Amino acid sequence: MTVGAAWRAVIGSDNKQSFKKGKRKMELLLSSALVKIIDKNDVSEIRSFNCLKNESFNFQIYVCDTENDVYEIGTKSDLKISCYEVLPCKGNYDFNVKTDDYYIKTESDTYPELLLPVNKIECGKNQNKTLFFEIDCSEKAAGKHDVEVTVGDKSVSFSVNVLNENLTDSDLIVTHWFHSDAICNYFNVKPFSAEWYVHFEDFMRAYVKMGNNMLLVPVFTPPLDTEVGGERLTTQLLKIKKVGNRYEFDFSDMKRYIDEAKSFGIKYFELSHLFTQWGGEFCPKIIVEENGENIKKFGWNVKSDDEEYSEFLKQYFVALNDFLVKESIKDNTFMHLTDEPKMKNIEKYSELSAFVKKYNFGIKTMDALSHFDFIEKTKLDLPAVVTDSKQIDLFENVRKLFYYCVRVDENYLSNRYFHMPLLRTAILGMQLYDKRADGFLHWGFNFYNTALSIATIDPYKDATAGGKLVAGDPFIVYPAEKGVNYSIRYFALLKAFEDYRLLKTVENKAGRAVVKEVLTRNGVCGLHKYPQEVKKYEELKNQLYDLLK
């Protein structure tokens, strides 16, 4: 599937000579950043060159009909511009499930995905390359800014109009689960060591830049995506010592983790789950020092309602509450019970919830669950509801996050698979606004394991968690020795959360009714209806900018 039509940018004074019969010369095609360019027909004309002072602006240049050569890349502008080469990655997926017709392809193939920073590109004869450019979100002077990009001796020129407005701060809670063991496994460093924190800071810069403001805190090793009876690498921040019948808790490592996160702008914290995934039947792995030896005190061998574990939790809650109050983060901290319980688990979940709420000093609770019966029975403070839930409308007047994951792939629902158009990923921000969601949750910012964490994987070679998940579901960034390497999907999500802020900015000026009218007029309605052409999306954006001019 291709979207949009190609158009020729300024490529130099010898433009006409490029098309003499029998002779082809390299040309540069300027394109929207919201298309995955596989061939020339995918290039989409940019129809909006506007942005706000603290809003990012992205574009692509498709370099085609090259010679055997290395081409230097240059940028000329008063704006800060970064350049990346778009590299294809393998996107395996067996589409033996229902899909719709808004996919690039529904087959295993390579897709534009990995962005590597470059200042030159090496090409073969008649080879085609795609370059992705980022004008970052640091504050820019209002007015017209000229941009010129050169590749070899060819150039593209255009202007970006920066409006004299700033995006308002987001009121969303946005989290993509950060997997601490991914750093350990990929870089071969010990959890929470000095070396670990070097990479953690790199990931945090990308994490916050994308729009995330809530972070998963591995108080205990998160009991997520783990084979029954198996275990993930121990990443437990809380130091625990048992003396007689009493537990002593050392929050120093947890404080450092949270302080580091705060320094990058994290405002909300979600504490790792108290019970195992998909029902809460057992305990997470918890390491305790007892008689001078660190032992696995709780785990798969201990039932979640075990009397000894219940006593442990009571003492933990006392210490935790004191810590959260002292750190002034209690109001912004949420406690998980178990991930994605089903209706068959509702009685167990209700029992666990009642126990937790009785003893946890009012610390708020949150979980990914999509059956409204749980809300009615447990009064969960912040549910995360999957976007394909048949009961999603019942949550209309409930404070909630939306989330999606594997198997959310039909009826035009937004997701972030390799196989989907970037616009299908980026539209999420407008949908969150339209549906009055309070935020968004995704389970995989950097999950570099196979499904159920049986083994680790190299994300550069496997984007499917060992062939068990859809390409693009497990992670959105790639590890690098310095910093991280972005995916093209990362910038689509960054734009989604910026779009939400743009809508809120216009709302502050003109009111929600005006914003809703613009969305409705342009075909954005709920989670299933939205413009599927980039030019229509950009026309919508221009109407919003016009309201601010």
Side-chain angles (χ1 to χ4, degrees):
M1 177 179 184
T2 59
V3 184
W7 68 303
R8 180 167 292 103
V10 179
I11 58 172
S13 59
D14 61 348
N15 183 24
K16 292 182 181 179
Q17 298 176 8
S18 300
F19 295 93
K20 287 183 178 181
K21 186 174 180 181
K23 187 176 182 180
R24 301 166 68 187
K25 279 198 172 183
M26 183 178 80
E27 59 178 330
L28 310 181
L29 304 178
L30 181 63
S31 174
S32 163
L34 279 181
V35 288
K36 296 178 181 178
I37 303 176
I38 296 174
D39 61 39
K40 193 172 181 177
N41 293 322
D42 298 317
V43 174
S44 180
E45 176 182 357
I46 299 178
R47 294 171 181 265
S48 176
F49 290 91
N50 297 300
C51 68
L52 304 195
K53 290 192 292 185
N54 62 342
E55 181 182 9
S56 65
F57 184 90
N58 303 317
F59 61 95
Q60 294 183 98
I61 291 178
Y62 188 59
V63 184
C64 47
D65 295 335
T66 61
E67 295 294 330
N68 240 335
D69 206 348
V70 175
Y71 296 92
E72 298 284 343
I73 302 165
T75 57
K76 185 179 180 181
S77 178
D78 63 331
L79 300 172
K80 181 181 177 182
I81 303 175
S82 301
C83 176
Y84 308 88
E85 183 177 356
V86 184
L87 298 179
C89 292
K90 196 170 185 180
N92 289 340
Y93 180 40
D94 183 5
F95 276 81
N96 287 328
V97 293
K98 292 181 180 179
T99 58
D100 50 53
D101 58 2
Y102 192 39
Y103 280 79
I104 295 171
K105 290 181 284 188
T106 54
E107 60 188 73
S108 296
D109 204 341
T110 58
Y111 294 82
E113 163 64 3
L114 176 62
L115 301 182
L116 293 183
V118 292
N119 54 25
K120 64 181 69 174
I121 51 171
E122 184 174 351
C123 300
K125 189 170 180 62
N126 296 328
Q127 190 175 16
N128 303 322
K129 298 263 188 171
T130 302
L131 299 175
F132 185 98
F133 294 84
E134 173 196 9
I135 298 175
D136 74 12
C137 58
S138 57
E139 188 158 322
K140 303 170 280 292
K144 180 181 175 183
H145 298 262
D146 294 329
V147 175
E148 181 182 31
V149 177
T150 58
V151 181
D153 61 354
K154 305 297 182 182
S155 66
V156 170
S157 298
F158 60 93
S159 296
V160 176
N161 181 39
V162 177
L163 279 66
N164 192 27
E165 293 279 354
N166 276 307
L167 292 173
T168 188
D169 291 340
S170 179
D171 59 0
L172 293 175
I173 295 176
V174 182
T175 179
H176 288 69
W177 284 347
F178 184 82
H179 298 273
S180 298
D181 61 345
I183 290 179
C184 304
N185 294 329
Y186 190 85
F187 296 105
N188 193 29
V189 295
K190 293 181 179 180
F192 317 122
S193 62
E195 296 82 4
W196 185 92
Y197 270 106
V198 170
H199 297 291
F200 176 72
E201 291 173 2
D202 289 339
F203 275 86
M204 278 299 101
R205 290 185 188 93
Y207 188 80
V208 172
K209 173 180 170 178
M210 180 177 152
N212 293 289
N213 57 8
M214 175 184 259
L215 182 64
L216 179 65
V217 180
V219 185
F220 314 122
T221 301
L224 298 168
D225 304 286
T226 306
E227 183 182 27
V228 175
E231 60 179 66
R232 294 174 67 163
L233 178 71
T234 299
T235 50
Q236 176 180 315
L237 283 168
L238 185 59
K239 296 176 184 176
I240 309 167
K241 184 177 182 180
K242 190 170 189 289
V243 181
N245 294 324
R246 304 300 301 168
Y247 291 92
E248 298 175 357
F249 300 95
D250 180 349
F251 286 89
S252 56
D253 285 350
M254 187 165 157
K255 174 175 169 52
R256 180 181 180 185
Y257 182 94
I258 289 172
D259 285 346
E260 289 273 4
K262 282 181 178 179
S263 73
F264 287 96
I266 295 296
K267 299 177 182 178
Y268 303 94
F269 299 93
E270 50 179 324
L271 308 182
S272 56
H273 300 66
L274 297 173
F275 313 103
T276 51
Q277 197 171 20
W278 304 310
E281 292 293 332
F282 302 95
C283 302
K285 177 174 65 171
I286 298 178
I287 305 300
V288 175
E289 181 187 337
E290 193 169 1
N291 299 321
E293 182 181 357
N294 286 327
I295 64 169
K296 185 167 62 177
K297 184 70 175 178
F298 303 105
W300 288 109
N301 60 322
V302 181
K303 289 279 191 176
S304 56
D305 57 0
D306 178 82
E307 185 175 340
E308 187 173 6
Y309 187 56
S310 297
E311 178 57 32
F312 165 81
L313 288 180
K314 290 177 188 178
Q315 295 185 40
Y316 163 61
F317 292 154
V318 173
L320 175 65
N321 182 65
D322 290 344
F323 171 78
L324 298 179
V325 170
K326 182 179 179 181
E327 297 299 314
S328 302
I329 59 172
K330 181 176 178 179
D331 290 344
N332 290 345
T333 297
F334 294 79
M335 178 178 287
H336 279 288
L337 279 66
T338 179
D339 187 46
E340 294 187 313
K342 309 301 181 187
M343 272 304 296
K344 66 181 181 180
N345 310 122
I346 192 167
E347 292 305 321
K348 168 64 72 175
Y349 189 90
S350 299
E351 293 170 6
L352 296 174
S353 176
F355 170 82
V356 169
K357 284 182 174 289
K358 182 177 180 179
Y359 293 104
N360 80 340
F361 296 88
I363 300 169
K364 292 185 283 290
T365 53
M366 69 178 290
D367 272 321
L369 47 78
S370 302
H371 298 280
F372 193 71
D373 307 60
F374 283 85
I375 302 302
E376 293 183 313
K377 199 158 187 176
T378 68
K379 309 301 180 187
L380 186 71
D381 295 292
L382 189 63
V385 186
V386 70
T387 53
D388 70 347
S389 169
K390 294 179 180 178
Q391 296 187 338
I392 199 165
D393 290 339
L394 297 178
F395 290 84
E396 184 174 353
N397 297 316
V398 174
R399 188 187 188 201
K400 77 277 182 184
L401 310 181
F402 284 156
Y403 81 96
Y404 57 60
C405 55
V406 70
R407 302 297 179 190
V408 178
D409 45 21
E410 61 175 325
N411 297 327
Y412 306 107
L413 287 167
S414 180
N415 211 314
R416 62 184 215 186
Y417 303 154
F418 282 20
H419 315 76
M420 288 179 170
L422 285 176
L423 180 54
R424 185 165 181 167
T425 300
I427 202 64
L428 174 68
M430 294 188 180
Q431 294 177 333
L432 294 174
Y433 179 91
D434 186 56
K435 294 290 287 182
R436 289 184 179 271
D438 296 280
F440 182 74
L441 178 152
H442 194 279
W443 73 275
F445 184 72
N446 63 329
F447 183 75
Y448 305 144
N449 291 343
T450 61
L452 301 181
S453 299
I454 296 170
T456 60
I457 57 102
D458 180 348
Y460 291 94
K461 298 178 180 178
D462 180 4
T464 63
K468 300 297 184 181
L469 301 177
V470 187
D473 191 32
F475 56 83
I476 199 75
V477 294
Y478 293 78
E481 285 303 319
K482 292 185 178 180
V484 301
N485 287 324
Y486 301 118
S487 67
I488 198 170
R489 299 171 296 119
Y490 170 96
F491 281 100
L493 281 169
L494 185 155
K495 183 51 61 180
F497 300 125
E498 283 191 339
D499 281 354
Y500 176 89
R501 294 169 63 194
L502 175 62
L503 294 170
K504 295 295 286 190
T505 305
V506 178
E507 178 185 305
N508 291 341
K509 296 281 185 180
R512 182 174 172 86
V514 171
V515 178
K516 281 283 291 181
E517 192 278 328
V518 173
L519 292 177
T520 302
R521 182 185 348 126
N522 288 276
V524 177
C525 183
L527 299 176
H528 304 280
K529 295 180 180 179
Y530 51 89
Q532 295 182 7
E533 295 180 37
V534 172
K535 67 177 182 179
K536 292 183 178 179
Y537 161 83
E538 293 192 336
E539 288 167 4
L540 187 166
K541 291 285 292 287
N542 279 334
Q543 293 169 35
L544 295 171
Y545 291 128
D546 286 343
L547 290 169
L548 293 174
K549 288 179 180 177

